[in-house]
Amino acid sequence: MRRIVAHNKKVEIINDEIPSLDGKPSYVLVKTKYSVISPGTELTILANSENKQVHLGYSAMGEVVECGSEITDVKTGDLVACYGAPYVHHDEYLLVPKTLYAKIPESVDPKEAALGGLGAIAIHALRIANLQFGETVVIVGLGVLGQLIAKIANTAAYNVIAYDLSKSRVDMLKEENFKSFSSVEEMEEAIRNETNSHGADAVLLCTGGKRSPLTQHCLKWIRTKGKAVIVGDIEPDFPRDLMFAKEAELRISRAGGPGRYDSVYEKEAIDYPYEFVRWTEGRNVAEYIRLIAEKRIDVSPFITETVEFEDAPQEFEKLLEKESTTLTKLIHYK
């Protein structure tokens, strides 16, 4: 099979063996149909690939071509959404544990299902914020992850205020009547008006760039005892005096939910007990699939561009050279 890797800050297509189910009764072998380019995460990996070969990608969907002996929830021919490196990459075939996939109903567009990994990350970020019905959340950074979080938060009946420097990204949400702004002053005015000057209940920071100046300002936007949730790749550089004065909570959202980076849950495919861990990363993927199946959120604006597998390296080059400002692109596998 072929797979896409980063090597010496370049993207290459290499050949490798199709993974085997031998000794993995709780896994499925998936023939990939679509995988998702996540610009923020993958460009960081690409930039750090000097003198080493690193696999890219973590969100995809495909057709089950073989099942381990302990698999009972899907069968050969079913479509599944898959999430999580090192099991999910931009590879023609994926060997995925049962804790990291969700079955796709026939009514769901396969392209939309491919965003399952990003959907799980967005859902987990909102769970970490631990908001109550009707509370106000400010979402800073409207890349594909911020956009997803805004839509899911709106569906959950939170009062959503969104901000990004990019007017085009702001306008994507304005088309759906979101309170979305490219001006900090206008956003701050909206927060005052929407909360009667008390401040938002939480701010979700979905930006990148490590040291963002917004971390110095976002505590001004939350109420006393409000929350700042780090979702993007930024350093938690917050002014202590303002954190102290507001008794603010700082929370960090780690990937798609409980189970991530736990070898027992992922590699050994042993699920957490439902009654003790209600929302694992795998269950969050399934919840994303439910949201799109029931038309609770519209993700079609994110998937306007599809590239063929053979052309993917050039697309990464465009992203790296900032010739493309797209939210994401889907890689199509024949």
Side-chain angles (χ1 to χ4, degrees):
M1 72 168 186
R2 296 173 300 168
R3 63 195 326 176
I4 295 170
V5 299
H7 184 216
N8 282 329
K9 300 185 180 181
K10 297 288 184 181
V11 174
E12 304 172 353
I13 294 176
I14 65 170
N15 290 308
D16 206 343
E17 296 292 326
I18 296 176
S20 171
L21 278 173
D22 288 348
K24 297 184 181 295
S26 298
Y27 281 61
V28 295
L29 181 64
V30 176
K31 188 179 188 301
T32 313
K33 288 183 175 290
Y34 293 99
S35 64
V36 180
I37 296 175
S38 177
T41 299
E42 294 184 65
L43 292 186
T44 299
I45 293 172
L46 183 56
N48 294 324
S49 64
E50 190 169 357
N51 298 321
K52 58 184 175 182
Q53 189 179 88
V54 188
H55 300 295
L56 295 170
Y58 60 84
S59 184
M61 65 76 55
E63 179 182 347
V64 176
V65 295
E66 191 178 355
C67 297
S69 60
E70 296 179 5
I71 298 297
T72 58
D73 56 342
V74 295
K75 62 183 184 303
T76 300
D78 285 344
L79 299 182
V80 292
C82 318
Y83 162 61
Y87 313 95
V88 179
H89 291 302
H90 299 309
D91 298 347
E92 289 184 311
Y93 287 88
L94 307 169
L95 195 59
V96 187
K98 65 180 182 181
T99 49
L100 293 179
Y101 66 74
K103 187 177 178 180
I104 303 170
E106 291 182 3
S107 61
V108 170
D109 184 337
K111 293 180 182 179
E112 295 184 1
L115 292 165
L118 290 164
I121 294 169
I123 289 169
H124 182 58
L126 285 169
R127 296 199 196 286
I128 289 295
N130 194 27
L131 294 164
Q132 300 295 316
F133 178 85
E135 290 189 331
T136 297
V137 56
V138 176
I139 298 164
V140 179
L142 297 177
V144 64
L145 190 55
Q147 299 261 347
L148 272 170
I149 290 172
K151 293 191 176 195
I152 296 168
N154 184 61
T155 295
Y158 304 144
N159 183 28
V160 179
I161 298 172
Y163 167 79
D164 195 288
L165 283 170
S166 168
K167 187 176 182 301
S168 63
R169 294 183 175 186
V170 166
D171 288 344
M172 288 179 70
L173 287 180
K174 278 189 174 179
E175 289 177 3
E176 298 183 40
N177 297 316
F178 278 79
K179 295 179 280 286
S180 184
F181 306 94
S182 57
S183 160
V184 171
E185 292 74 20
E186 291 180 358
M187 178 196 64
E188 290 177 337
E189 183 179 359
I191 294 171
R192 287 192 294 271
N193 293 338
E194 293 292 325
T195 68
N196 197 23
S197 297
H198 288 294
D201 297 283
V203 173
L204 273 66
L205 298 171
C206 306
T207 57
K210 290 295 183 183
R211 295 195 175 276
S212 170
L214 293 172
T215 59
Q216 296 291 321
H217 299 292
C218 75
L219 295 185
K220 299 176 184 177
W221 307 332
I222 62 173
R223 63 173 172 83
T224 298
K225 297 184 182 294
K227 290 161 280 194
V229 182
I230 294 178
V231 184
D233 184 19
I234 61 174
E235 293 293 332
D237 183 19
F238 295 91
R240 184 191 180 281
D241 57 344
L242 199 51
M243 288 195 74
F244 180 84
K246 290 198 171 182
E247 202 172 359
E249 290 185 48
L250 171 60
R251 301 186 175 193
I252 296 178
S253 178
R254 187 175 73 171
R260 192 69 186 114
Y261 309 115
D262 179 357
S263 61
V264 173
Y265 176 89
E266 294 185 334
K267 186 176 181 180
E268 297 181 32
I270 298 176
D271 203 354
Y272 297 150
Y274 192 89
E275 61 270 30
F276 293 111
V277 186
R278 176 63 182 87
W279 292 108
T280 60
E281 54 179 333
R283 290 171 197 146
N284 282 336
V285 173
E287 177 61 11
Y288 166 79
I289 296 298
R290 183 186 74 86
L291 291 175
I292 59 174
E294 296 181 2
K295 309 298 182 185
R296 301 298 182 100
I297 58 173
D298 178 14
V299 299
S300 59
F302 309 153
I303 51 178
T304 56
E305 298 185 58
T306 302
V307 300
E308 295 302 318
F309 182 87
E310 296 80 4
D311 300 325
Q314 293 92 315
E315 294 301 322
F316 276 99
E317 291 295 330
K318 290 178 183 178
L319 288 169
L320 190 61
E321 298 300 326
K322 302 191 184 302
E323 294 177 17
S324 172
T325 57
T326 186
L327 290 180
T328 185
K329 292 187 180 183
L330 266 62
I331 300 174
H332 176 244
Y333 299 71
K334 295 178 181 177

